[in-house]
Amino acid sequence: MANSDRYYTPQDSKDAMRQIEKLFNKYKDAPLTQELVDYHQNLVNRLKTDILAAATKEGVQSRIDSLNSMIDVMNKWLQIRLSGRPYAGKMAHFQFVADNAQPQFKRRVHKMKGSSNHRASGH
C-alpha cells in the first residue's frame, strides 16, 4: 500500500476542516478514554497550527473565523466531557448545533366520506 493511499491529503484548508468536522462528529459520543483525549488534542493542535496557517495564507477571512469557532467548539466538548456530562449536539458548518430534536411520529390524515371534522382510521 502506497503512502498516498494510506493518508488523506486535503486540497485546501476548507477540505481539511470538513474532514476534521466529520471525524469529530464520529467520536463525539464515544466513551472518554485517554487515547480519545490524545487524539482530540492532536486534531485541535492541527487546527491551531497547520490549518490556521494554510487559511491565513489563502487569505479568506470567513474561513479563519470558522476555524476559530471550530476550535472553540472542540475545546468546549473536551471540558463538557471531562466534567462527566453528555455532549448534546454536533458540529455542522464548523459551528455547534444543538441536538434538541424530539422524536417525530408519522401521522397520516385520511378523510373518508363525511364531514371534515371526523377523521377515519382507514380500517
Side-chain angles (χ1 to χ4, degrees):
M1 176 187 287
N3 280 341
S4 62
D5 295 338
R6 183 172 177 185
Y7 297 109
Y8 176 74
T9 308
Q11 303 300 321
D12 58 354
S13 62
K14 188 171 187 176
D15 195 22
M17 289 167 59
R18 281 188 187 137
Q19 186 67 22
I20 290 179
E21 178 182 68
K22 192 184 307 181
L23 291 170
F24 174 77
N25 284 331
K26 282 185 181 179
Y27 72 76
K28 68 179 179 61
D29 294 326
L32 204 59
T33 61
Q34 186 59 42
E35 291 85 13
L36 182 62
V37 172
D38 293 341
Y39 181 74
H40 178 76
Q41 292 287 43
N42 185 15
L43 288 179
V44 172
N45 190 26
R46 292 274 180 204
L47 285 173
K48 288 180 180 178
T49 56
D50 302 340
I51 300 171
L52 184 61
T56 53
K57 184 178 165 185
E58 292 169 4
V60 181
Q61 185 60 38
S62 63
R63 193 168 300 163
I64 295 171
D65 296 339
S66 297
L67 186 61
N68 289 329
S69 73
M70 191 173 175
I71 292 170
D72 290 340
V73 167
M74 291 179 80
N75 285 332
K76 287 178 186 175
W77 174 85
L78 188 59
Q79 292 173 352
I80 290 170
R81 291 302 306 273
L82 287 176
S83 68
R85 294 179 296 172
Y87 187 73
K90 64 179 184 176
M91 194 184 311
H93 304 289
F94 315 123
Q95 295 178 349
F96 172 76
V97 176
D99 196 17
N100 297 338
Q102 297 290 329
Q104 293 183 351
F105 300 101
K106 292 182 180 179
R107 192 183 83 130
R108 291 179 69 185
V109 175
H110 181 89
K111 294 183 187 177
M112 298 188 93
K113 295 176 185 169
S115 71
S116 63
N117 293 336
H118 301 288
R119 306 284 189 226
S121 61
H123 53 253

